[in-house]
Amino acid sequence: HQGDNKDTVVRVLIFVCRALLYLFSLTVQLLYVHGKKCFNAFKTGNFDKVMGIVPVPSYLFSWQDAAGFVLMLCLTSMLILEPIMWCMGKTDKLFDTNCDDASDVAFTYSVFSMIAVFLYYALLIDLTVMSTKVSAYVLVGIRMISEVGLTLTALAAVVLTFSAGLSALDHKQDDFSGIPAGLFSFFKLVVGMLSGDDYDSYRDDPAVLIGV
């Protein structure tokens, strides 16, 4: 009975936390703020057309506002797919989330939950204004994102080139038997996951060893 009581307490706490999330974060904050901004945007004609067809409020072209809007959609989807609601009246347990009806939507609910968590953490970047050093670091990091992207693109091109080249070579190494296998092996090489035994096995094929 003590275990059942603990389980009930946990389920009640989960329900309370989710209720607060939907009430304050979704309804009071996101729905109200974005609803008001969207209404004002269309009222004043302050919107842009994407691909010349779809009208989008101009404020959504700011990544923070866009992230908040997507977060609102995720939380709304979570509310619709809330397992507690789907199991309500289906089991004898209070605020249960494990029932046949909830199992059909559990994975989709978890996907929206994952995206919402990512967005919550991404929006925490606004708190960097509280520290000048952190704010400067974030600013530099944002400026460097494009450079990091170019570096990763160049690295991917080099890895693909060597993978395709070694896959065309006549050798006996399963790690480079095809382009997909070669991509995985070179990825392990780049991140330092290849062991000494792997290099020893390449000695039988000097051409592969030179390529690696």
Side-chain angles (χ1 to χ4, degrees):
H1 294 291
Q2 187 176 2
D4 293 339
N5 292 334
K6 288 184 178 180
D7 186 55
T8 302
V9 171
V10 171
R11 284 187 275 108
V12 170
L13 290 176
I14 291 175
F15 171 78
V16 171
C17 291
R18 291 183 181 180
L20 293 175
L21 177 68
Y22 296 136
L23 177 61
F24 292 103
S25 184
L26 175 60
T27 306
V28 176
Q29 183 183 12
L30 294 173
L31 283 176
Y32 173 76
V33 171
H34 287 283
K36 183 179 179 180
K37 287 184 176 180
C38 287
F39 176 78
N40 291 333
F42 284 102
K43 182 179 179 180
T44 59
N46 187 20
F47 59 86
D48 298 319
K49 289 188 176 181
V50 178
M51 296 183 295
I53 301 176
V54 182
V56 177
S58 299
Y59 83 94
L60 288 178
F61 288 93
S62 169
W63 80 265
Q64 289 95 340
D65 289 322
F69 188 83
V70 175
L71 177 60
M72 178 190 68
L73 297 179
C74 289
L75 291 179
T76 303
S77 301
M78 288 171 59
L79 178 60
I80 296 173
L81 300 173
E82 177 56 52
I84 295 177
M85 296 176 58
W86 285 74
C87 290
M88 193 171 295
K90 303 295 177 61
T91 63
D92 296 333
K93 295 181 179 180
L94 182 65
F95 304 135
D96 193 14
T97 58
N98 297 317
C99 63
D100 294 336
D101 292 343
S103 62
D104 297 333
V105 299
F107 178 75
T108 307
Y109 176 86
S110 66
V111 171
F112 285 115
S113 300
M114 177 190 67
I115 298 174
V117 171
F118 286 158
L119 292 174
Y120 270 121
Y121 276 94
L123 291 172
L124 285 177
I125 197 172
D126 290 338
L127 297 179
T128 58
V129 297
M130 300 177 63
S131 173
T132 305
K133 290 184 178 180
V134 176
S135 181
Y137 178 80
V138 171
L139 181 61
V140 173
I142 293 175
R143 296 291 184 182
M144 292 297 295
I145 288 178
S146 60
E147 302 297 330
V148 174
L150 291 174
T151 302
L152 293 178
T153 301
L155 179 62
V158 172
V159 168
L160 178 61
T161 300
F162 277 86
S163 300
L166 289 181
S167 66
L169 184 67
D170 184 16
H171 58 76
K172 300 179 181 179
Q173 300 297 328
D174 294 335
D175 290 345
F176 304 98
S177 58
I179 294 179
L183 286 173
F184 181 68
S185 298
F186 274 112
F187 172 77
K188 292 197 298 182
L189 173 65
V190 170
V191 298
M193 293 177 60
L194 283 181
S195 63
D197 295 336
D198 293 325
Y199 287 104
D200 290 338
S201 65
Y202 300 154
R203 290 182 178 179
D204 297 333
D205 292 292
V208 173
L209 184 61
I210 293 173
V212 173

